[in-house]
mmCIF file of all heavy atoms in Angstrom:
data_model
loop_
_atom_site.group_PDB
_atom_site.id
_atom_site.type_symbol
_atom_site.label_atom_id
_atom_site.label_comp_id
_atom_site.label_asym_id
_atom_site.label_seq_id
_atom_site.Cartn_x
_atom_site.Cartn_y
_atom_site.Cartn_z
ATOM 1 N N ALA A 56 100.450 97.003 117.304
ATOM 2 C CA ALA A 56 101.386 96.144 116.569
ATOM 3 C C ALA A 56 101.662 94.866 117.352
ATOM 4 O O ALA A 56 101.626 94.849 118.585
ATOM 5 C CB ALA A 56 102.701 96.885 116.327
ATOM 6 N N GLU A 57 101.949 93.787 116.638
ATOM 7 C CA GLU A 57 102.402 92.529 117.234
ATOM 8 C C GLU A 57 103.867 92.739 117.610
ATOM 9 O O GLU A 57 104.738 92.773 116.746
ATOM 10 C CB GLU A 57 102.248 91.393 116.227
ATOM 11 C CG GLU A 57 102.970 90.114 116.584
ATOM 12 C CD GLU A 57 102.363 89.379 117.766
ATOM 13 O OE1 GLU A 57 101.180 89.563 118.048
ATOM 14 O OE2 GLU A 57 103.085 88.600 118.394
ATOM 15 N N THR A 58 104.141 92.921 118.905
ATOM 16 C CA THR A 58 105.494 93.294 119.323
ATOM 17 C C THR A 58 106.246 92.167 120.004
ATOM 18 O O THR A 58 107.320 92.373 120.530
ATOM 19 C CB THR A 58 105.460 94.495 120.286
ATOM 20 O OG1 THR A 58 104.626 94.181 121.396
ATOM 21 C CG2 THR A 58 104.941 95.737 119.593
ATOM 22 N N GLU A 59 105.701 90.976 119.985
ATOM 23 C CA GLU A 59 106.412 89.829 120.554
ATOM 24 C C GLU A 59 107.274 89.246 119.452
ATOM 25 O O GLU A 59 106.783 88.669 118.499
ATOM 26 C CB GLU A 59 105.406 88.796 121.047
ATOM 27 C CG GLU A 59 106.023 87.673 121.835
ATOM 28 C CD GLU A 59 104.968 86.686 122.277
ATOM 29 O OE1 GLU A 59 103.871 87.101 122.657
ATOM 30 O OE2 GLU A 59 105.251 85.488 122.218
ATOM 31 N N GLY A 60 108.589 89.432 119.556
ATOM 32 C CA GLY A 60 109.508 89.045 118.488
ATOM 33 C C GLY A 60 109.642 87.551 118.324
ATOM 34 O O GLY A 60 109.240 86.773 119.179
ATOM 35 N N PRO A 61 110.257 87.083 117.222
ATOM 36 C CA PRO A 61 110.412 85.660 116.951
ATOM 37 C C PRO A 61 111.189 84.923 118.036
ATOM 38 O O PRO A 61 110.907 83.794 118.333
ATOM 39 C CB PRO A 61 111.181 85.613 115.635
ATOM 40 C CG PRO A 61 111.022 86.947 115.023
ATOM 41 C CD PRO A 61 110.762 87.903 116.129
ATOM 42 N N ASP A 62 112.187 85.599 118.685
ATOM 43 C CA ASP A 62 112.974 84.918 119.722
ATOM 44 C C ASP A 62 112.161 84.652 120.975
ATOM 45 O O ASP A 62 112.489 83.793 121.763
ATOM 46 C CB ASP A 62 114.170 85.749 120.182
ATOM 47 C CG ASP A 62 114.911 86.401 119.063
ATOM 48 O OD1 ASP A 62 115.608 85.694 118.337
ATOM 49 O OD2 ASP A 62 114.771 87.614 118.972
ATOM 50 N N THR A 63 111.129 85.482 121.212
ATOM 51 C CA THR A 63 110.395 85.391 122.459
ATOM 52 C C THR A 63 109.030 84.761 122.269
ATOM 53 O O THR A 63 108.154 84.944 123.093
ATOM 54 C CB THR A 63 110.226 86.800 123.068
ATOM 55 O OG1 THR A 63 109.552 87.618 122.128
ATOM 56 C CG2 THR A 63 111.561 87.409 123.422
ATOM 57 N N ALA A 64 108.815 84.023 121.183
ATOM 58 C CA ALA A 64 107.513 83.442 120.886
ATOM 59 C C ALA A 64 107.049 82.558 122.023
ATOM 60 O O ALA A 64 107.744 81.673 122.470
ATOM 61 C CB ALA A 64 107.588 82.617 119.604
ATOM 62 N N GLY A 65 105.839 82.851 122.518
ATOM 63 C CA GLY A 65 105.248 82.032 123.555
ATOM 64 C C GLY A 65 105.802 82.271 124.942
ATOM 65 O O GLY A 65 105.418 81.610 125.884
ATOM 66 N N ARG A 66 106.716 83.254 125.113
ATOM 67 C CA ARG A 66 107.276 83.499 126.426
ATOM 68 C C ARG A 66 106.925 84.900 126.894
ATOM 69 O O ARG A 66 107.758 85.595 127.462
ATOM 70 C CB ARG A 66 108.794 83.318 126.389
ATOM 71 C CG ARG A 66 109.189 81.872 126.276
ATOM 72 C CD ARG A 66 110.671 81.742 126.142
ATOM 73 N NE ARG A 66 111.026 81.947 124.741
ATOM 74 C CZ ARG A 66 112.261 82.149 124.328
ATOM 75 N NH1 ARG A 66 113.249 82.194 125.161
ATOM 76 N NH2 ARG A 66 112.515 82.315 123.046
ATOM 77 N N ALA A 67 105.687 85.315 126.650
ATOM 78 C CA ALA A 67 105.287 86.676 126.972
ATOM 79 C C ALA A 67 105.375 86.942 128.463
ATOM 80 O O ALA A 67 105.795 88.010 128.886
ATOM 81 C CB ALA A 67 103.857 86.937 126.481
ATOM 82 N N ASP A 68 104.972 85.976 129.305
ATOM 83 C CA ASP A 68 105.019 86.192 130.741
ATOM 84 C C ASP A 68 106.458 86.343 131.213
ATOM 85 O O ASP A 68 106.766 87.187 132.049
ATOM 86 C CB ASP A 68 104.372 85.012 131.481
ATOM 87 C CG ASP A 68 102.897 84.890 131.152
ATOM 88 O OD1 ASP A 68 102.304 85.911 130.760
ATOM 89 O OD2 ASP A 68 102.353 83.786 131.282
ATOM 90 N N GLU A 69 107.321 85.523 130.686
ATOM 91 C CA GLU A 69 108.725 85.559 131.070
ATOM 92 C C GLU A 69 109.383 86.854 130.617
ATOM 93 O O GLU A 69 110.224 87.415 131.288
ATOM 94 C CB GLU A 69 109.428 84.363 130.424
ATOM 95 C CG GLU A 69 110.907 84.275 130.645
ATOM 96 C CD GLU A 69 111.483 83.128 129.844
ATOM 97 O OE1 GLU A 69 110.899 82.032 129.874
ATOM 98 O OE2 GLU A 69 112.512 83.338 129.188
ATOM 99 N N ALA A 70 108.969 87.371 129.440
ATOM 100 C CA ALA A 70 109.609 88.545 128.868
ATOM 101 C C ALA A 70 108.870 89.837 129.169
ATOM 102 O O ALA A 70 109.258 90.887 128.679
ATOM 103 C CB ALA A 70 109.719 88.377 127.357
ATOM 104 N N ALA A 71 107.801 89.773 129.971
ATOM 105 C CA ALA A 71 106.971 90.956 130.177
ATOM 106 C C ALA A 71 107.766 92.137 130.711
ATOM 107 O O ALA A 71 107.598 93.255 130.256
ATOM 108 C CB ALA A 71 105.823 90.628 131.122
ATOM 109 N N GLY A 72 108.630 91.894 131.682
ATOM 110 C CA GLY A 72 109.382 92.999 132.249
ATOM 111 C C GLY A 72 110.733 93.199 131.604
ATOM 112 O O GLY A 72 111.512 94.024 132.039
ATOM 113 N N ARG A 73 111.040 92.450 130.579
ATOM 114 C CA ARG A 73 112.356 92.495 129.962
ATOM 115 C C ARG A 73 112.277 93.209 128.628
ATOM 116 O O ARG A 73 111.382 92.974 127.851
ATOM 117 C CB ARG A 73 112.854 91.064 129.760
ATOM 118 C CG ARG A 73 114.310 90.998 129.364
ATOM 119 C CD ARG A 73 114.716 89.566 129.195
ATOM 120 N NE ARG A 73 114.082 89.034 127.999
ATOM 121 C CZ ARG A 73 113.946 87.734 127.765
ATOM 122 N NH1 ARG A 73 114.354 86.864 128.623
ATOM 123 N NH2 ARG A 73 113.373 87.324 126.664
ATOM 124 N N ASP A 74 113.226 94.046 128.355
ATOM 125 C CA ASP A 74 113.259 94.781 127.096
ATOM 126 C C ASP A 74 113.705 93.849 125.975
ATOM 127 O O ASP A 74 114.523 92.961 126.197
ATOM 128 C CB ASP A 74 114.246 95.948 127.255
ATOM 129 C CG ASP A 74 114.242 96.847 126.044
ATOM 130 O OD1 ASP A 74 113.194 97.004 125.404
ATOM 131 O OD2 ASP A 74 115.302 97.396 125.763
ATOM 132 N N LEU A 75 113.168 94.047 124.778
ATOM 133 C CA LEU A 75 113.552 93.200 123.644
ATOM 134 C C LEU A 75 115.032 93.325 123.304
ATOM 135 O O LEU A 75 115.604 92.455 122.676
ATOM 136 C CB LEU A 75 112.720 93.570 122.417
ATOM 137 C CG LEU A 75 111.346 92.929 122.345
ATOM 138 C CD1 LEU A 75 110.612 93.433 121.125
ATOM 139 C CD2 LEU A 75 111.427 91.438 122.324
ATOM 140 N N THR A 76 115.675 94.406 123.733
ATOM 141 C CA THR A 76 117.094 94.572 123.418
ATOM 142 C C THR A 76 117.961 93.590 124.181
ATOM 143 O O THR A 76 119.138 93.441 123.871
ATOM 144 C CB THR A 76 117.566 96.005 123.725
ATOM 145 O OG1 THR A 76 117.279 96.284 125.092
ATOM 146 C CG2 THR A 76 116.877 97.004 122.840
ATOM 147 N N GLU A 77 117.416 92.899 125.182
ATOM 148 C CA GLU A 77 118.186 91.922 125.933
ATOM 149 C C GLU A 77 118.095 90.534 125.323
ATOM 150 O O GLU A 77 118.623 89.580 125.864
ATOM 151 C CB GLU A 77 117.680 91.872 127.381
ATOM 152 C CG GLU A 77 117.903 93.164 128.129
ATOM 153 C CD GLU A 77 117.258 93.144 129.498
ATOM 154 O OE1 GLU A 77 116.795 92.076 129.926
ATOM 155 O OE2 GLU A 77 117.186 94.200 130.123
ATOM 156 N N ALA A 78 117.408 90.425 124.173
ATOM 157 C CA ALA A 78 117.285 89.127 123.512
ATOM 158 C C ALA A 78 118.630 88.720 122.914
ATOM 159 O O ALA A 78 119.589 89.473 122.950
ATOM 160 C CB ALA A 78 116.221 89.201 122.414
ATOM 161 N N ALA A 79 118.679 87.524 122.341
ATOM 162 C CA ALA A 79 119.938 87.016 121.786
ATOM 163 C C ALA A 79 120.525 87.990 120.786
ATOM 164 O O ALA A 79 119.834 88.479 119.903
ATOM 165 C CB ALA A 79 119.684 85.675 121.109
ATOM 166 N N SER A 80 121.813 88.271 120.921
ATOM 167 C CA SER A 80 122.449 89.304 120.118
ATOM 168 C C SER A 80 122.947 88.745 118.792
ATOM 169 O O SER A 80 123.660 87.756 118.757
ATOM 170 C CB SER A 80 123.620 89.903 120.899
ATOM 171 O OG SER A 80 124.243 90.879 120.126
ATOM 172 N N THR A 81 122.515 89.399 117.702
ATOM 173 C CA THR A 81 123.013 89.078 116.373
ATOM 174 C C THR A 81 123.224 90.382 115.632
ATOM 175 O O THR A 81 122.763 91.425 116.061
ATOM 176 C CB THR A 81 122.003 88.218 115.583
ATOM 177 O OG1 THR A 81 120.786 88.951 115.498
ATOM 178 C CG2 THR A 81 121.764 86.884 116.248
ATOM 179 N N THR A 82 123.895 90.336 114.523
ATOM 180 C CA THR A 82 124.133 91.541 113.742
ATOM 181 C C THR A 82 122.937 91.797 112.834
ATOM 182 O O THR A 82 122.631 90.990 111.978
ATOM 183 C CB THR A 82 125.397 91.380 112.886
ATOM 184 O OG1 THR A 82 126.465 91.038 113.759
ATOM 185 C CG2 THR A 82 125.710 92.667 112.150
ATOM 186 N N PRO A 83 122.216 92.916 113.017
ATOM 187 C CA PRO A 83 121.047 93.207 112.205
ATOM 188 C C PRO A 83 121.438 93.844 110.881
ATOM 189 O O PRO A 83 122.542 94.343 110.715
ATOM 190 C CB PRO A 83 120.266 94.202 113.071
ATOM 191 C CG PRO A 83 121.329 94.917 113.842
ATOM 192 C CD PRO A 83 122.427 93.905 114.062
ATOM 193 N N SER A 84 120.485 93.854 109.950
ATOM 194 C CA SER A 84 120.754 94.462 108.658
ATOM 195 C C SER A 84 120.278 95.908 108.614
ATOM 196 O O SER A 84 120.680 96.649 107.742
ATOM 197 C CB SER A 84 120.056 93.659 107.564
ATOM 198 O OG SER A 84 118.675 93.601 107.816
ATOM 199 N N THR A 85 119.375 96.306 109.531
ATOM 200 C CA THR A 85 118.878 97.676 109.547
ATOM 201 C C THR A 85 118.805 98.171 110.969
ATOM 202 O O THR A 85 118.939 97.417 111.916
ATOM 203 C CB THR A 85 117.461 97.754 108.936
ATOM 204 O OG1 THR A 85 116.588 96.941 109.729
ATOM 205 C CG2 THR A 85 117.434 97.309 107.497
ATOM 206 N N GLY A 86 118.524 99.478 111.110
ATOM 207 C CA GLY A 86 118.380 100.067 112.426
ATOM 208 C C GLY A 86 119.724 100.464 113.010
ATOM 209 O O GLY A 86 120.762 100.281 112.411
ATOM 210 N N PRO A 87 119.699 101.050 114.218
ATOM 211 C CA PRO A 87 120.938 101.451 114.875
ATOM 212 C C PRO A 87 121.869 100.259 115.086
ATOM 213 O O PRO A 87 121.418 99.124 115.185
ATOM 214 C CB PRO A 87 120.447 102.013 116.215
ATOM 215 C CG PRO A 87 119.042 102.439 115.955
ATOM 216 C CD PRO A 87 118.509 101.455 114.948
ATOM 217 N N PRO A 88 123.196 100.495 115.179
ATOM 218 C CA PRO A 88 124.171 99.399 115.264
ATOM 219 C C PRO A 88 123.970 98.477 116.465
ATOM 220 O O PRO A 88 124.300 97.315 116.395
ATOM 221 C CB PRO A 88 125.514 100.119 115.370
ATOM 222 C CG PRO A 88 125.265 101.520 114.966
ATOM 223 C CD PRO A 88 123.811 101.795 115.121
ATOM 224 N N GLN A 89 123.408 98.976 117.576
ATOM 225 C CA GLN A 89 123.244 98.145 118.758
ATOM 226 C C GLN A 89 121.974 97.297 118.737
ATOM 227 O O GLN A 89 121.720 96.552 119.663
ATOM 228 C CB GLN A 89 123.276 99.012 120.029
ATOM 229 C CG GLN A 89 122.036 99.876 120.236
ATOM 230 C CD GLN A 89 122.045 101.184 119.474
ATOM 231 O OE1 GLN A 89 122.868 101.399 118.586
ATOM 232 N NE2 GLN A 89 121.117 102.066 119.783
ATOM 233 N N ASP A 90 121.168 97.398 117.690
ATOM 234 C CA ASP A 90 119.918 96.635 117.604
ATOM 235 C C ASP A 90 120.186 95.142 117.479
ATOM 236 O O ASP A 90 121.053 94.712 116.731
ATOM 237 C CB ASP A 90 119.088 97.089 116.400
ATOM 238 C CG ASP A 90 118.246 98.303 116.705
ATOM 239 O OD1 ASP A 90 118.291 98.787 117.854
ATOM 240 O OD2 ASP A 90 117.547 98.781 115.808
ATOM 241 N N THR A 91 119.378 94.361 118.197
ATOM 242 C CA THR A 91 119.412 92.914 118.056
ATOM 243 C C THR A 91 118.415 92.515 116.972
ATOM 244 O O THR A 91 117.646 93.351 116.478
ATOM 245 C CB THR A 91 119.014 92.231 119.374
ATOM 246 O OG1 THR A 91 117.667 92.582 119.679
ATOM 247 C CG2 THR A 91 119.932 92.637 120.516
ATOM 248 N N GLU A 92 118.402 91.244 116.624
ATOM 249 C CA GLU A 92 117.446 90.757 115.622
ATOM 250 C C GLU A 92 116.009 90.979 116.098
ATOM 251 O O GLU A 92 115.129 91.332 115.314
ATOM 252 C CB GLU A 92 117.702 89.271 115.367
ATOM 253 C CG GLU A 92 116.876 88.705 114.243
ATOM 254 C CD GLU A 92 117.218 87.260 113.941
ATOM 255 O OE1 GLU A 92 118.381 86.878 114.097
ATOM 256 O OE2 GLU A 92 116.297 86.522 113.550
ATOM 257 N N ALA A 93 115.769 90.792 117.403
ATOM 258 C CA ALA A 93 114.423 90.994 117.947
ATOM 259 C C ALA A 93 113.997 92.457 117.855
ATOM 260 O O ALA A 93 112.836 92.753 117.573
ATOM 261 C CB ALA A 93 114.379 90.524 119.399
ATOM 262 N N THR A 94 114.937 93.386 118.087
ATOM 263 C CA THR A 94 114.596 94.803 118.010
ATOM 264 C C THR A 94 114.328 95.224 116.575
ATOM 265 O O THR A 94 113.442 96.031 116.311
ATOM 266 C CB THR A 94 115.722 95.663 118.613
ATOM 267 O OG1 THR A 94 116.017 95.173 119.921
ATOM 268 C CG2 THR A 94 115.318 97.112 118.723
ATOM 269 N N VAL A 95 115.068 94.666 115.632
ATOM 270 C CA VAL A 95 114.812 94.948 114.218
ATOM 271 C C VAL A 95 113.409 94.463 113.843
ATOM 272 O O VAL A 95 112.660 95.155 113.148
ATOM 273 C CB VAL A 95 115.897 94.294 113.326
ATOM 274 C CG1 VAL A 95 115.526 94.389 111.853
ATOM 275 C CG2 VAL A 95 117.245 94.946 113.568
ATOM 276 N N ALA A 96 113.021 93.267 114.324
ATOM 277 C CA ALA A 96 111.673 92.744 114.057
ATOM 278 C C ALA A 96 110.608 93.631 114.703
ATOM 279 O O ALA A 96 109.544 93.870 114.118
ATOM 280 C CB ALA A 96 111.560 91.314 114.568
ATOM 281 N N LEU A 97 110.887 94.124 115.915
ATOM 282 C CA LEU A 97 109.960 95.028 116.590
ATOM 283 C C LEU A 97 109.762 96.303 115.777
ATOM 284 O O LEU A 97 108.634 96.738 115.562
ATOM 285 C CB LEU A 97 110.505 95.371 117.985
ATOM 286 C CG LEU A 97 109.832 96.532 118.716
ATOM 287 C CD1 LEU A 97 108.408 96.153 119.086
ATOM 288 C CD2 LEU A 97 110.633 96.909 119.945
ATOM 289 N N ARG A 98 110.846 96.886 115.299
ATOM 290 C CA ARG A 98 110.748 98.120 114.512
ATOM 291 C C ARG A 98 109.948 97.880 113.227
ATOM 292 O O ARG A 98 109.136 98.713 112.819
ATOM 293 C CB ARG A 98 112.144 98.650 114.181
ATOM 294 C CG ARG A 98 112.919 99.137 115.397
ATOM 295 C CD ARG A 98 114.276 99.698 115.004
ATOM 296 N NE ARG A 98 115.132 99.930 116.135
ATOM 297 C CZ ARG A 98 115.026 100.954 116.978
ATOM 298 N NH1 ARG A 98 114.067 101.832 116.800
ATOM 299 N NH2 ARG A 98 115.857 101.090 117.992
ATOM 300 N N ALA A 99 110.160 96.741 112.576
ATOM 301 C CA ALA A 99 109.420 96.410 111.348
ATOM 302 C C ALA A 99 107.925 96.246 111.642
ATOM 303 O O ALA A 99 107.078 96.700 110.868
ATOM 304 C CB ALA A 99 109.984 95.142 110.723
ATOM 305 N N ALA A 100 107.591 95.603 112.780
ATOM 306 C CA ALA A 100 106.182 95.394 113.131
ATOM 307 C C ALA A 100 105.480 96.712 113.408
ATOM 308 O O ALA A 100 104.337 96.929 112.974
ATOM 309 C CB ALA A 100 106.080 94.476 114.341
ATOM 310 N N VAL A 101 106.142 97.625 114.116
ATOM 311 C CA VAL A 101 105.525 98.917 114.428
ATOM 312 C C VAL A 101 105.381 99.754 113.159
ATOM 313 O O VAL A 101 104.364 100.413 112.951
ATOM 314 C CB VAL A 101 106.340 99.664 115.511
ATOM 315 C CG1 VAL A 101 105.788 101.066 115.735
ATOM 316 C CG2 VAL A 101 106.315 98.874 116.819
ATOM 317 N N THR A 102 106.381 99.707 112.289
ATOM 318 C CA THR A 102 106.318 100.457 111.032
ATOM 319 C C THR A 102 105.161 99.969 110.163
ATOM 320 O O THR A 102 104.465 100.766 109.529
ATOM 321 C CB THR A 102 107.647 100.320 110.261
ATOM 322 O OG1 THR A 102 108.708 100.823 111.078
ATOM 323 C CG2 THR A 102 107.621 101.074 108.956
ATOM 324 N N ALA A 103 104.933 98.662 110.133
ATOM 325 C CA ALA A 103 103.897 98.085 109.259
ATOM 326 C C ALA A 103 102.508 98.087 109.880
ATOM 327 O O ALA A 103 101.531 97.782 109.182
ATOM 328 C CB ALA A 103 104.283 96.653 108.901
ATOM 329 N N ALA A 104 102.369 98.420 111.160
ATOM 330 C CA ALA A 104 101.087 98.255 111.853
ATOM 331 C C ALA A 104 99.946 99.029 111.214
ATOM 332 O O ALA A 104 98.857 98.489 111.031
ATOM 333 C CB ALA A 104 101.242 98.656 113.322
#
Side-chain angles (χ1 to χ4, degrees):
E57 166 70 24
T58 56
E59 189 181 321
D62 317 287
T63 58
R66 287 176 277 167
D68 296 336
E69 177 185 314
R73 191 180 71 199
D74 186 32
L75 277 177
T76 56
E77 295 174 9
S80 179
T81 59
T82 305
S84 58
T85 61
Q89 72 277 13
D90 276 359
T91 63
E92 186 176 327
T94 308
V95 171
L97 167 68
R98 293 182 191 283
V101 174
T102 301

